[in-house]
Amino acid sequence: MKRNIKTWVATVCLFGLLFGINPASAATTSEIETVFNWAENNFPELFPEHRTTQMIDPWAFRFYPSTGIYTGIKNDEVYVLGGPWGTASPTFIATLPNLLGQIQGEGGNGSVPACSETSDLPQGMVVTQSGNVVNITTNGQCIVIDNPESADFCEAPIPLNPTGISVLSTVEVTSFQTTGITIDSPGFPNPLDSFMQNSSSCIIEAPAEMVNLVVNSNVCYDLTNQLSLLPSGFGITIDPPVTVTTVSSSISQQVSDCFASDAAVINNLVTGETWVNTNGSFVPVPNTSSSF
C-alpha cells in the first residue's frame, strides 16, 4: 500500500510539472535514447530494467515501477524524480550536451539491450532502442567503416545458458544508392551489390529479447579507402568519394526449427556452430578458430 501511495505521489508530481511548463525540448530522439539506455546500463540499481520512453510534450521520460524513479529530459536538461531524490520536485542532473559528452568520453554510446555491443561504434553512428524497435542511423552523413563485410552493428547478445529459442531474422532493403563508382564490364561483379540484397538468418539459442525485434537501419558508408585500389579502366570508373546508402528493416520471429526454415545462414550462439544453406541443404562451416 505504501509503495502504491509513493508511486501515485510521484506520478502526480511529475504530471504537474509536465503540464506546467511549455517550452519543447530540442533534443533528438537518438540523443534521448542514448542517455536513458546509458543510465540503465550503468546504474541498474536505480533503473533496473529496460523501459520504453514516453513522450508528453515538453518531456521525454521513463518510469521504473520497481524503484519508483522517473528519469526525464526537458529543454535539453536531464532530471530524475523519486527514489533517493524524493518526490517533492525533479532533481536536475546535467545538461543534455554535457551528459552526452561524458558518455562519449567514456567510450559509450548508450547501451542497447538488444545489441551485444554498442560502445565501439564508428564515429557518427547512433544506435538506439525503444521497446522492441532498434534504430541505426548515421543521421544523413556518410561515415568511414573499417570492414564493410562485417557491418552488423546490432549483433545478438550471447546468452550464458541455452535458451531453447530459435529466431528467424529477415532483412528487407527498401532503398539503395551508390555514388563515385561505375562498373560497365560484363562478368565483373559490383563489390557494393551485397548491400542491396535481402537476406535471412536463423539463430539457435537466441536471447528472449530477439523475439519480435525490429531493426530499422538508415546508414551511409564512405568506402573510398576500400575501393580506391580498384583499377580504373576496363569498364570501371572511380570518382571519389565512393559511398553507399541503404535503408533496410529486419524483423525477427520465433520459429520451431531453424533447419526447417529458408534461412541463408544458421548460427548457434551457445556452441558457435554455423551452417550455410547450399541448394536447400544446411552445410556446417568448419570452425576456423580451432587449433591445428
Side-chain angles (χ1 to χ4, degrees):
M1 181 65 179
K2 290 183 178 180
R3 173 171 289 275
N4 290 337
I5 293 175
K6 289 181 179 180
T7 300
W8 179 82
V9 170
T11 302
V12 170
C13 290
L14 179 68
F15 275 81
L17 194 71
L18 287 177
F19 295 105
I21 304 174
N22 291 322
S25 171
T28 65
T29 299
S30 62
E31 290 172 336
I32 292 170
E33 294 296 311
T34 293
V35 168
F36 289 164
N37 289 335
W38 172 83
E40 289 178 354
N41 186 54
N42 287 273
F43 304 98
E45 69 279 7
L46 300 173
F47 316 107
E49 65 277 326
H50 178 65
R51 309 298 295 181
T52 300
T53 300
Q54 307 294 318
M55 298 287 187
I56 301 180
D57 188 48
W59 285 87
F61 65 96
R62 292 183 184 179
F63 175 58
Y64 300 85
S66 61
T67 58
I69 296 175
Y70 289 88
T71 178
I73 295 176
K74 173 187 68 67
N75 201 29
D76 281 350
E77 294 180 337
V78 183
Y79 294 86
V80 290
L81 179 73
W85 295 281
T87 57
S89 63
T91 299
F92 172 76
I93 298 298
T95 66
L96 183 64
N98 285 348
L99 192 51
L100 287 170
Q102 177 184 336
I103 294 171
Q104 296 294 342
E106 294 176 356
N109 195 61
S111 173
V112 176
C115 309
S116 61
E117 183 59 60
T118 57
S119 63
D120 192 26
L121 295 172
Q123 184 175 1
M125 175 174 284
V126 176
V127 180
T128 59
Q129 180 174 349
S130 180
N132 69 322
V133 178
V134 171
N135 290 299
I136 303 174
T137 180
T138 57
N139 292 315
Q141 304 298 313
C142 294
I143 65 171
V144 176
I145 58 175
D146 295 329
N147 186 4
E149 295 182 357
S150 59
D152 183 358
F153 297 104
C154 186
E155 295 183 346
I158 298 177
L160 297 177
N161 300 299
T163 64
I165 299 174
S166 295
V167 172
L168 177 66
S169 299
T170 303
V171 179
E172 180 181 359
V173 179
T174 57
S175 177
F176 173 80
Q177 182 179 3
T178 64
T179 65
I181 182 172
T182 303
I183 297 179
D184 186 18
S185 179
F188 191 92
N190 189 327
L192 301 181
D193 281 350
S194 60
F195 287 96
M196 65 180 296
Q197 297 174 354
N198 298 335
S199 61
S200 62
S201 60
C202 199
I203 293 181
I204 301 172
E205 309 298 357
E209 293 82 0
M210 282 197 67
V211 178
N212 298 324
L213 181 70
V214 176
V215 179
N216 298 318
S217 176
N218 187 340
V219 296
C220 179
Y221 300 136
D222 186 331
L223 304 179
T224 304
N225 294 336
Q226 289 88 347
L227 299 180
S228 60
L229 299 178
L230 285 177
S232 296
F234 305 102
I236 302 175
T237 303
I238 302 292
D239 183 20
V242 179
T243 67
V244 55
T245 302
T246 62
V247 179
S248 65
S249 183
S250 169
I251 300 177
S252 298
Q253 296 179 319
Q254 187 170 358
V255 295
S256 58
D257 184 4
C258 281
F259 291 97
S261 72
D262 59 354
V265 179
I266 297 176
N267 294 300
N268 187 314
L269 289 186
V270 173
T271 66
E273 295 172 284
T274 300
W275 298 262
V276 175
N277 191 332
T278 304
N279 298 323
S281 299
F282 289 101
V283 179
V285 176
N287 187 351
T288 57
S289 64
S290 60
S291 59
F292 293 93

